[in-house]
PDB file of all heavy atoms in Angstrom:
ATOM      1  N   GLY S 194     -15.092 302.427  49.256  1.00 97.00           N
ATOM      2  CA  GLY S 194     -15.727 303.138  50.373  1.00 97.00           C
ATOM      3  C   GLY S 194     -15.821 304.623  50.152  1.00 97.00           C
ATOM      4  O   GLY S 194     -15.521 305.138  49.061  1.00 97.00           O
ATOM      5  N   HIS S 195     -16.280 305.302  51.177  1.00 97.00           N
ATOM      6  CA  HIS S 195     -16.592 306.755  51.114  1.00 97.00           C
ATOM      7  C   HIS S 195     -15.355 307.537  50.716  1.00 97.00           C
ATOM      8  O   HIS S 195     -14.242 307.318  51.263  1.00 97.00           O
ATOM      9  CB  HIS S 195     -17.145 307.230  52.454  1.00 97.00           C
ATOM     10  CG  HIS S 195     -17.795 308.528  52.353  1.00 97.00           C
ATOM     11  ND1 HIS S 195     -19.093 308.746  52.075  1.00 97.00           N
ATOM     12  CD2 HIS S 195     -17.257 309.811  52.535  1.00 97.00           C
ATOM     13  CE1 HIS S 195     -19.366 310.024  52.047  1.00 97.00           C
ATOM     14  NE2 HIS S 195     -18.247 310.701  52.356  1.00 97.00           N
ATOM     15  N   ARG S 196     -15.540 308.527  49.890  1.00 98.00           N
ATOM     16  CA  ARG S 196     -14.393 309.362  49.472  1.00 98.00           C
ATOM     17  C   ARG S 196     -14.090 310.385  50.594  1.00 98.00           C
ATOM     18  O   ARG S 196     -15.001 310.994  51.135  1.00 98.00           O
ATOM     19  CB  ARG S 196     -14.746 310.101  48.168  1.00 98.00           C
ATOM     20  CG  ARG S 196     -13.575 310.703  47.473  1.00 98.00           C
ATOM     21  CD  ARG S 196     -13.999 311.488  46.182  1.00 98.00           C
ATOM     22  NE  ARG S 196     -14.484 310.555  45.159  1.00 98.00           N
ATOM     23  CZ  ARG S 196     -13.719 309.936  44.323  1.00 98.00           C
ATOM     24  NH1 ARG S 196     -12.364 310.076  44.349  1.00 98.00           N
ATOM     25  NH2 ARG S 196     -14.201 309.139  43.389  1.00 98.00           N
ATOM     26  N   ILE S 197     -12.818 310.522  50.857  1.00 98.00           N
ATOM     27  CA  ILE S 197     -12.356 311.459  51.920  1.00 98.00           C
ATOM     28  C   ILE S 197     -12.375 312.873  51.337  1.00 98.00           C
ATOM     29  O   ILE S 197     -11.776 313.091  50.257  1.00 98.00           O
ATOM     30  CB  ILE S 197     -10.931 311.080  52.406  1.00 98.00           C
ATOM     31  CG1 ILE S 197     -10.850 309.612  52.855  1.00 98.00           C
ATOM     32  CG2 ILE S 197     -10.470 312.062  53.496  1.00 98.00           C
ATOM     33  CD1 ILE S 197     -11.591 309.302  54.101  1.00 98.00           C
ATOM     34  N   THR S 198     -12.953 313.821  51.998  1.00 98.00           N
ATOM     35  CA  THR S 198     -12.949 315.203  51.579  1.00 98.00           C
ATOM     36  C   THR S 198     -12.564 316.145  52.727  1.00 98.00           C
ATOM     37  O   THR S 198     -12.805 315.795  53.900  1.00 98.00           O
ATOM     38  CB  THR S 198     -14.305 315.629  50.998  1.00 98.00           C
ATOM     39  OG1 THR S 198     -15.263 315.411  52.004  1.00 98.00           O
ATOM     40  CG2 THR S 198     -14.634 314.864  49.722  1.00 98.00           C
ATOM     41  N   ASN S 199     -12.038 317.306  52.377  1.00 98.00           N
ATOM     42  CA  ASN S 199     -11.717 318.296  53.423  1.00 98.00           C
ATOM     43  C   ASN S 199     -12.978 318.664  54.198  1.00 98.00           C
ATOM     44  O   ASN S 199     -14.103 318.797  53.607  1.00 98.00           O
ATOM     45  CB  ASN S 199     -11.085 319.537  52.741  1.00 98.00           C
ATOM     46  CG  ASN S 199      -9.779 319.191  52.154  1.00 98.00           C
ATOM     47  OD1 ASN S 199      -9.045 318.304  52.621  1.00 98.00           O
ATOM     48  ND2 ASN S 199      -9.407 319.943  51.083  1.00 98.00           N
ATOM     49  N   GLY S 200     -12.798 318.852  55.511  1.00 98.00           N
ATOM     50  CA  GLY S 200     -13.967 319.226  56.354  1.00 98.00           C
ATOM     51  C   GLY S 200     -14.532 318.031  57.081  1.00 98.00           C
ATOM     52  O   GLY S 200     -15.341 318.189  57.954  1.00 98.00           O
ATOM     53  N   MET S 201     -14.062 316.817  56.737  1.00 98.00           N
ATOM     54  CA  MET S 201     -14.572 315.640  57.457  1.00 98.00           C
ATOM     55  C   MET S 201     -13.850 315.480  58.813  1.00 98.00           C
ATOM     56  O   MET S 201     -12.640 315.767  58.884  1.00 98.00           O
ATOM     57  CB  MET S 201     -14.335 314.342  56.664  1.00 98.00           C
ATOM     58  CG  MET S 201     -15.342 314.162  55.499  1.00 98.00           C
ATOM     59  SD  MET S 201     -14.884 312.738  54.462  1.00 98.00           S
ATOM     60  CE  MET S 201     -15.239 311.390  55.570  1.00 98.00           C
ATOM     61  N   GLY S 202     -14.559 315.115  59.806  1.00 98.00           N
ATOM     62  CA  GLY S 202     -13.971 314.683  61.087  1.00 98.00           C
ATOM     63  C   GLY S 202     -14.138 313.167  61.168  1.00 98.00           C
ATOM     64  O   GLY S 202     -15.261 312.673  61.054  1.00 98.00           O
ATOM     65  N   ILE S 203     -13.044 312.456  61.399  1.00 98.00           N
ATOM     66  CA  ILE S 203     -13.158 311.008  61.522  1.00 98.00           C
ATOM     67  C   ILE S 203     -12.263 310.494  62.705  1.00 98.00           C
ATOM     68  O   ILE S 203     -11.287 311.152  63.057  1.00 98.00           O
ATOM     69  CB  ILE S 203     -12.730 310.226  60.278  1.00 98.00           C
ATOM     70  CG1 ILE S 203     -11.351 310.536  59.829  1.00 98.00           C
ATOM     71  CG2 ILE S 203     -13.769 310.517  59.147  1.00 98.00           C
ATOM     72  CD1 ILE S 203     -10.871 309.628  58.721  1.00 98.00           C
ATOM     73  N   CYS S 204     -12.674 309.438  63.299  1.00 98.00           N
ATOM     74  CA  CYS S 204     -11.850 308.674  64.262  1.00 98.00           C
ATOM     75  C   CYS S 204     -11.377 307.404  63.636  1.00 98.00           C
ATOM     76  O   CYS S 204     -12.178 306.579  63.204  1.00 98.00           O
ATOM     77  CB  CYS S 204     -12.670 308.377  65.539  1.00 98.00           C
ATOM     78  SG  CYS S 204     -13.016 309.812  66.509  1.00 98.00           S
ATOM     79  N   VAL S 205     -10.056 307.251  63.590  1.00 98.00           N
ATOM     80  CA  VAL S 205      -9.464 305.980  63.167  1.00 98.00           C
ATOM     81  C   VAL S 205      -9.023 305.291  64.487  1.00 98.00           C
ATOM     82  O   VAL S 205      -8.367 305.935  65.338  1.00 98.00           O
ATOM     83  CB  VAL S 205      -8.259 306.181  62.235  1.00 98.00           C
ATOM     84  CG1 VAL S 205      -7.580 304.884  61.930  1.00 98.00           C
ATOM     85  CG2 VAL S 205      -8.739 306.910  60.943  1.00 98.00           C
ATOM     86  N   GLU S 206      -9.469 304.087  64.696  1.00 98.00           N
ATOM     87  CA  GLU S 206      -9.216 303.468  65.995  1.00 98.00           C
ATOM     88  C   GLU S 206      -8.979 301.947  65.900  1.00 98.00           C
ATOM     89  O   GLU S 206      -9.884 301.130  66.180  1.00 98.00           O
ATOM     90  CB  GLU S 206     -10.340 303.741  67.001  1.00 98.00           C
ATOM     91  CG  GLU S 206     -11.745 303.502  66.561  1.00 98.00           C
ATOM     92  CD  GLU S 206     -12.686 303.764  67.741  1.00 98.00           C
ATOM     93  OE1 GLU S 206     -12.417 303.374  68.888  1.00 98.00           O
ATOM     94  OE2 GLU S 206     -13.786 304.329  67.478  1.00 98.00           O
TER      95      GLU S 206
END
Side-chain angles (χ1 to χ4, degrees):
H195 194 89
R196 195 181 291 277
I197 306 290
T198 55
N199 294 332
M201 285 173 68
I203 58 170
C204 287
V205 175
E206 51 175 318

